[in-house]
Amino acid sequence: MTAIIVEKRMLLLTFLCFTVEAMGRESKTLLEKQLLAEEKLKLINKPTLKSIQSADGDVIDCVDIYKQPAFDHPLLKNHIIKMKPTYDHSRKRNKDSSQATTSAGPTPTQTWQKSGPCPNGTVPILRVQRHHLLNAPSIENYGRKPWNGVVEHEIHLSNQTIAAGIEGLHAYAVLIGSGYNYIGAKASLGIYNPWVGADDEYTTCQIWLRHGEYNNSESIELGWMVNPSVFGDKTTRFFVYWTTDSGKETGCFNLLCPGFVQTSSEIALGAAFSHVSGDELQYEFSVEVWKDFDEERWWVVYGDTTVGYYPASLFGGLWRTATLVFFGGDVYSPRIWESPHPSTAMGSGTLASYHFMDAAFIRQPRIMDFSGYYKYPDPFGIYVNQAYCYSAENYAEILWTEPLLYYGGPGWNFPYCQ
Ligand SMILES: *[C@@H]1O[C@H](CO)[C@@H](O)[C@H](O)[C@H]1NC(C)=O
Ligand SMILES: *[C@@H]1O[C@H](CO)[C@@H](O)[C@H](O)[C@H]1NC(C)=O
Ligand SMILES: *[C@@H]1O[C@H](CO)[C@@H](O)[C@H](O)[C@H]1NC(C)=O
């Protein structure tokens, strides 16, 4: 078996060398990229028990739960999968009595689910295809955020000013809460499909839970994103992300590096939504990340489905608690501070001041502390770093109800955002 593979590789190499000679410099880099891509595909994709071809072009691999990528992590070699949280969290999860300003919209399904379920004992994993890697700015760093350092920013909260790290080349429009004992965060996110102007740019709506210094923080992030450099298209997809060093060397989206342990056979990370909000309906979905009282895992919940967890042992300070929480939008572009401003939009593509049915919203942002109850973050503040391009605002349509967090903007194309 091995001999045959080696022989095939030699043949391939001989063929490539020959072609490279013949085709000159440009093609050489392309062929090198192809070789790199093949190696990377072998590392990322796991043997599949069943493959589901989704109507939208995605392929979902049903992978044996004990052969998922997490087991490639040195800390998780002998990890024993836990299928359910120890603490029955659902009892407290819905105890929230505050009245929202508008009623919740419908939650879409994941498009691939129409093409059939994964069998018991497997987890659905979005397959990385050759074209995803070949379109990515970097094959080596595929699935990671581009690293451009972290900038310290002063953030004004209701009763204090804090310093927080903002990733370089990112525009944020967020609500920030600061505390010392966050062990959970959740919100319901309106789902949109904002314009992304170039394949090396992306836009998200998400929750960040963070711990650490401004320039060296650990985080767990989750929400939806449009990210052609990872997914090869401009559809809106569910994602999770983690890092232990502000993204410098560790972490990635979804299962694109070992870390997240998936337990759900129903929800796939990176899968597209069946619907996004339009003129008629505002679609939304709730996401939640919370740490079990056994201290071992940060569980990720999508709607009512527990998707899996980040083992707390991956983290240092975040092993125990988070100290900062962000809710809102994030646009990344290598040209975010250049003129003309990139055309990548945030949220629904309109400014927060357009409010309901036009601007993107986040409903009921919450943190959990050691009481085990979800609360509105306090102290909190609104933070934007490109106010002419993207904005954020807490606004209640009905005076005595809890406001929605509106955020977003069109990027370029807007009079002051040039
Ligand atoms: C799959 O697992 C669930 C929960 O353990 C069980 O109720 C169900 O019968 C199983 N289905 C099959 C086809 O084995
Ligand atoms: C973060 O910044 C502080 C102060 O500027 C510096 O001392 C420290 O080495 C930095 N840490 C990292 C990981 O860059
Ligand atoms: C700000 O408010 C929070 C929550 O009410 C409180 O815990 C904290 O001590 C306050 N901080 C300052 C500096 O007053």
Side-chain angles (χ1 to χ4, degrees), residues 128-205:
V128 178
Q129 303 185 46
R130 205 160 280 111
H131 70 91
H132 295 143
L133 289 176
L134 294 177
N135 288 344
S138 155
I139 293 176
E140 288 92 332
N141 290 323
Y142 176 75
R144 309 198 39 229
K145 290 190 188 178
W147 167 251
N148 295 289
V150 178
V151 186
E152 185 178 8
H153 282 249
E154 272 198 349
I155 315 260
H156 303 285
L157 306 178
S158 26
N159 66 355
Q160 59 190 273
T161 299
I162 57 164
I166 300 299
E167 295 162 86
L169 307 181
H170 286 249
Y172 282 31
V174 292
L175 182 146
I176 295 184
S178 163
Y180 289 96
N181 54 2
Y182 293 159
I183 54 168
K186 69 168 183 172
S188 186
L189 315 177
I191 308 168
Y192 305 87
N193 184 238
W195 168 254
V196 171
D199 281 358
D200 58 354
E201 299 176 356
Y202 68 78
T203 181
T204 79
C205 167

Side-chain angles (χ1 to χ4, degrees), residues 68-79 242 244 250-251 257-260 311 313-314:
Q68 61 178 306
F71 291 100
D72 291 342
H73 196 290
L75 289 175
L76 305 176
K77 283 268 180 278
N78 301 312
H79 184 75
W242 69 287
T244 59
T250 62
C257 66
F260 189 80
S313 59
L314 291 175

Side-chain angles (χ1 to χ4, degrees), residues 80-370:
I80 294 165
I81 295 184
K82 181 141 175 146
M83 294 303 289
K84 273 196 207 133
T86 304
Y87 177 70
D88 182 9
H89 181 51
S90 58
R91 282 183 299 135
K92 278 190 177 174
R93 195 140 48 103
N94 298 318
K95 235 179 173 176
D96 214 318
S97 61
S98 71
Q99 199 185 351
T101 188
T102 61
S103 55
T107 296
T109 58
Q110 294 194 321
T111 305
W112 71 273
Q113 291 171 332
K114 286 191 217 103
S115 309
C118 274
N120 270 4
T122 71
V123 290
I125 301 184
L126 178 65
R127 186 191 297 175
V128 178
Q129 303 185 46
R130 205 160 280 111
H131 70 91
H132 295 143
L133 289 176
L134 294 177
N135 288 344
S138 155
I139 293 176
E140 288 92 332
N141 290 323
Y142 176 75
R144 309 198 39 229
K145 290 190 188 178
W147 167 251
N148 295 289
V150 178
V151 186
E152 185 178 8
H153 282 249
E154 272 198 349
I155 315 260
H156 303 285
L157 306 178
S158 26
N159 66 355
Q160 59 190 273
T161 299
I162 57 164
I166 300 299
E167 295 162 86
L169 307 181
H170 286 249
Y172 282 31
V174 292
L175 182 146
I176 295 184
S178 163
Y180 289 96
N181 54 2
Y182 293 159
I183 54 168
K186 69 168 183 172
S188 186
L189 315 177
I191 308 168
Y192 305 87
N193 184 238
W195 168 254
V196 171
D199 281 358
D200 58 354
E201 299 176 356
Y202 68 78
T203 181
T204 79
C205 167
Q206 61 173 96
I207 303 175
W208 292 251
L209 257 191
R210 292 177 39 169
H211 182 111
E213 298 300 312
Y214 83 88
N215 57 354
N216 195 28
S217 64
E218 303 184 316
S219 74
I220 294 175
E221 304 172 19
L222 68 174
W224 58 255
M225 73 185 334
V226 181
N227 189 340
S229 70
V230 172
F231 302 109
D233 64 15
K234 295 185 182 176
T235 56
T236 305
R237 295 164 178 279
F238 170 53
F239 81 93
V240 298
Y241 172 87
W242 69 287
T243 178
T244 59
D245 59 2
S246 299
K248 191 173 184 188
E249 272 157 15
T250 62
C252 63
F253 295 113
N254 302 340
L255 301 172
L256 298 173
C257 66
F260 189 80
V261 179
Q262 185 164 338
T263 56
S264 171
S265 60
E266 289 163 43
I267 298 295
L269 301 173
F273 295 96
S274 61
H275 295 83
V276 298
S277 302
D279 296 339
E280 307 275 310
L281 276 177
Q282 302 288 299
Y283 286 90
E284 57 185 271
F285 78 120
S286 69
V287 282
E288 173 178 4
V289 54
W290 68 283
K291 199 162 68 102
D292 207 348
F293 294 163
D294 64 11
E295 300 277 304
E296 308 260 346
R297 296 163 192 85
W298 285 95
W299 291 93
V300 168
V301 185
Y302 171 112
D304 290 324
T305 307
T306 295
V307 183
Y309 56 87
Y310 284 111
S313 59
L314 291 175
F315 301 101
L318 200 50
W319 170 76
R320 193 169 146 73
T321 57
T323 55
L324 272 182
V325 63
F326 294 14
F327 299 87
D330 172 8
V331 168
Y332 166 79
S333 166
R335 299 161 297 279
I336 199 85
W337 295 105
E338 289 174 18
S339 184
H341 190 278
S343 61
T344 292
M346 181 193 288
S348 65
T350 71
L351 292 173
S353 55
Y354 283 67
H355 299 160
F356 198 63
M357 291 305 279
D358 283 319
F361 68 84
I362 292 179
R363 182 193 303 281
Q364 294 185 308
R366 293 286 184 275
I367 55 92
M368 182 167 54
D369 58 19
F370 285 120

Side-chain angles (χ1 to χ4, degrees), residues 26-41:
E26 291 265 307
S27 322
K28 182 169 169 181
T29 52
L30 177 65
L31 288 163
E32 279 173 356
K33 258 181 110 171
Q34 282 169 340
L35 269 182
L36 261 175
E38 296 307 322
E39 293 297 321
K40 190 82 175 180
L41 285 175

